[in-house]
Amino acid sequence: MASPVLAATLDSLSAADWQDRQVIFAVFRQHGFASTAADTANRWLLRQDAARLAALQQLERRHGWPAVTQAGAEAARTAFLLLQHAPDSVQVRYLARVAALYKAKRLPPSDYATYLDRALLNQGQRQQYGTQSARVVRPSGETVDSLLPTAEFFGLDKRRRAMKLEPLQQLRPGTMYFKTKP
């Protein structure tokens, strides 16, 4: 049975998450990523994320993991988003639960792939689906999005297709982009 209170609470957490990220991105644009202001903003965001995670865990204890049938699709997706913003150690603890949600078809394949890739990288392993990249500034000043270490690169697009992810196309070593057309 759908719970309007659960949905509203998750919607509120989602809005706060989005607003906080807008604030921190503004700090990065104004002061740069390697500034004292950015360090302060990052610490602030970690505290905000921790508070939202605590709220999510409280909701989970009360209602179970928010399912689409309980809270609606957007609210259920919010629960997953909040978990992705949790510390690495928390993400690893939730990995079995996230895998079970995916197997029970309560989590979209692309979300599971993203979560698994982050967890693997956080454990020092190679990602499976190529969902994680990092922006790198080369000595020339050129900025590129670089695919983080990925297992079996040559089978990557096939694995991505299975998880409802767009294929990747490698342009040159160390750079990548998402295709916009098939």
Side-chain angles (χ1 to χ4, degrees):
M1 172 176 236
S3 167
V5 172
L6 178 61
T9 303
L10 286 165
D11 287 346
S12 174
L13 291 170
S14 175
D17 184 84
W18 186 85
Q19 284 286 62
D20 290 350
R21 277 163 174 72
Q22 296 309 304
V23 167
I24 199 167
F25 294 147
V27 169
F28 293 158
R29 281 191 301 275
Q30 183 175 358
H31 301 283
F33 289 103
S35 66
T36 302
D39 290 343
T40 301
N42 275 320
R43 285 192 301 278
W44 169 80
L45 185 61
L46 289 172
R47 288 190 303 275
Q48 300 300 101
D49 286 346
R52 282 188 288 274
L53 176 63
L56 174 63
Q57 290 173 324
Q58 183 178 14
L59 288 172
E60 184 185 16
R61 284 190 295 278
R62 195 175 310 141
H63 302 279
W65 186 262
V68 171
T69 55
Q70 289 177 293
E74 192 59 36
R77 193 161 170 82
T78 292
F80 183 72
L81 172 78
L82 296 175
L83 187 57
Q84 287 187 65
H85 293 159
D88 299 347
S89 60
V90 173
Q91 289 183 16
V92 169
R93 284 197 318 258
Y94 271 85
L95 187 55
R97 165 152 306 184
V98 170
L101 290 168
Y102 164 67
K103 288 176 185 168
K105 298 190 184 323
R106 292 180 59 196
L107 186 67
S110 59
D111 285 350
Y112 174 67
T114 300
Y115 193 88
L116 178 63
D117 278 356
R118 285 183 183 174
L120 289 169
L121 287 168
N122 289 337
Q123 295 174 52
Q125 299 176 40
R126 293 179 175 271
Q127 62 180 323
Q128 293 295 308
Y129 301 104
T131 63
Q132 304 300 295
S133 61
R135 185 145 291 164
V136 176
V137 179
R138 294 191 169 157
S140 66
E142 176 187 22
T143 302
V144 295
D145 288 329
S146 181
L147 186 64
L148 293 174
T150 304
E152 301 175 32
F153 186 79
F154 293 105
L156 181 58
D157 276 345
K158 183 177 180 179
R159 292 192 308 276
R160 288 180 62 84
R161 253 190 318 281
M163 301 307 278
K164 311 289 189 238
L165 294 165
E166 292 180 359
L168 293 178
Q169 182 174 7
Q170 186 165 0
L171 299 176
R172 59 185 182 260
T175 66
M176 47 78 66
Y177 78 104
F178 292 95
K179 289 183 180 178
T180 56
K181 296 181 183 177

